[in-house]
Amino acid sequence: LKARSVQRWRSRLGQLPPGCSDLDTAGRATKLGLEGMGSTDEKMMGKSLFCLPRRLFVMLLAAIALLHGVTGLVHTLLIKELPGEQGAAAWQSNDHCVGHSCHDVLTCKGTRQASFHTREVLELIGNTVFGYWGLLGALHGYTKDLQWFSQYLFGFPLFLFLLFLWDGAYCVVCGEYPLNVIDEALLWKLPNIPVKEADKVGLTEAMVVYPVGFTNRLVGRNVFLLYTVWEACWGFFLAYLANQVRLHAQFTSSGLLGLGATYDIGDWRESVALARSRKVLAGGYQGMVSSDPVIVL
């Protein structure tokens, strides 16, 4: 009777679920899928970008990816076009070929926007799904979710490289730039960077075809070279972000040296004192139960 009363008290205090003993706590954690959770001190995780705590950095990165994916999907569903699509004048042009009404499949006209659509769709869906997993992993220490987020970030530069080859082949065969090259190299959200706003409006609202020579003269620079430099820089930066997420997942589950969770020795005495105080409180509750075992809980 006393043992059952103590167990009921501890379950009420949140220390032990009803019907479980201390010995099967690890088994329940494994069944619940919590075996990948770590407990390394946050101050031992290191910093990202030389200033931000790594856990906070990963959390912000995942939140930004999730927000970008969700807002892009909502925009697509409401406006019925992907962010960065060409303007109304281009859509009304006879040379505009996209969707179910386009019967030119493997032609320059039919594939002008194909790489752009592929990148936008996979990026929005991927950011939504993996950004959500990354945010959960950073908040709660779920190592598996952090690993999924890291693998997604590592895989995206490879995806960009395949698109680069696709766009390069299109330029060589068709003698014009696909929409993905124009969008990535010129249509930045920053005002007058890398080209003037008037040029951006002309590219999106008036032009449907982007001949290589004419477009280079219009903006005053080699567009494909700018596209190459941007994609290379973005790919390396994504690889850095992926490595930061990977390190956070590794430190969370295995510690700094792979030997288990790592703690700050300066906090050891505080942790011991806190554990002792909890034992004292638990002993006080057990004394209350043993002195009056007929209390109705």
Side-chain angles (χ1 to χ4, degrees):
L1 178 60
K2 290 183 179 180
R4 291 181 180 178
S5 301
V6 170
Q7 188 174 357
R8 292 174 64 186
W9 268 103
R10 295 182 64 188
S11 64
R12 288 295 181 89
L13 294 174
Q15 298 179 3
L16 190 65
C20 296
S21 63
D22 294 329
L23 297 178
D24 62 5
T25 303
R28 291 187 76 257
T30 303
K31 291 180 180 179
L32 292 174
L34 304 180
E35 67 278 6
M37 295 180 61
S39 56
T40 300
D41 285 348
E42 184 174 346
K43 63 176 64 176
M44 306 298 294
M45 295 286 189
K47 297 184 181 296
S48 299
L49 296 179
F50 307 103
C51 59
L52 288 177
R54 182 168 282 117
R55 179 172 178 268
L56 176 62
F57 177 80
V58 173
M59 194 182 306
L60 292 176
L61 175 63
I64 292 174
L66 177 61
L67 181 63
H68 175 266
V70 171
T71 53
L73 291 177
V74 171
H75 176 275
T76 303
L77 293 176
L78 294 180
I79 310 300
K80 296 183 179 180
E81 65 179 35
L82 291 169
E85 288 277 15
Q86 293 176 300
W91 279 86
Q92 297 173 1
S93 173
N94 293 328
D95 200 37
H96 189 271
C97 184
V98 66
H100 64 277
S101 60
C102 180
H103 302 289
D104 297 328
V105 182
L106 297 178
T107 64
C108 295
K109 181 179 179 181
T111 58
R112 184 178 300 131
Q113 302 182 34
S115 59
F116 169 79
H117 290 157
T118 302
R119 176 179 61 84
E120 282 291 319
V121 170
L122 293 182
E123 182 177 350
L124 294 180
I125 296 177
N127 284 354
T128 302
V129 175
F130 293 98
Y132 172 74
W133 285 344
L135 185 59
L136 285 182
L139 285 173
H140 304 291
Y142 296 150
T143 305
K144 196 64 177 179
D145 291 348
L146 290 172
Q147 291 173 348
W148 277 112
F149 187 42
S150 173
Q151 291 170 5
Y152 167 70
L153 293 176
F154 270 123
F156 208 82
L158 176 60
F159 171 67
L160 292 180
F161 178 71
L162 295 178
L163 287 182
F164 171 79
L165 297 179
W166 184 355
D167 292 333
Y170 181 91
C171 293
V172 172
V173 173
C174 301
E176 62 184 63
Y177 291 124
L179 178 60
N180 187 56
V181 173
I182 300 298
D183 182 72
E184 289 284 272
L186 303 178
L187 303 181
W188 295 11
K189 300 298 182 182
L190 299 176
N192 296 315
I193 298 176
V195 296
K196 298 179 180 180
E197 290 300 304
D199 294 334
K200 295 181 183 179
V201 174
L203 290 169
T204 56
E205 299 294 336
M207 294 182 63
V208 181
V209 183
Y210 306 101
V212 173
F214 177 79
T215 307
N216 290 342
R217 291 192 299 270
L218 177 66
V219 300
R221 62 199 66 191
N222 190 315
V223 178
F224 197 83
L225 178 61
L226 183 61
Y227 167 69
T228 303
V229 174
W230 168 250
E231 293 296 286
C233 294
W234 184 235
F236 281 115
F237 185 64
L238 285 175
Y240 170 79
L241 298 180
N243 188 55
Q244 295 302 304
V245 179
R246 182 192 64 82
L247 290 176
H248 180 60
Q250 176 183 336
F251 293 163
T252 298
S253 61
S254 305
L256 302 181
L257 301 176
L259 301 176
T262 307
Y263 304 94
D264 187 356
I265 193 64
D267 297 335
W268 179 75
R269 295 183 61 184
E270 298 180 5
S271 302
V272 172
L274 180 60
R276 288 178 177 175
S277 63
R278 289 177 177 175
K279 289 183 178 180
V280 171
L281 291 176
Y285 288 124
Q286 291 179 11
M288 293 172 57
V289 174
S290 60
S291 61
D292 191 5
V294 295
I295 294 178
V296 178
L297 301 179

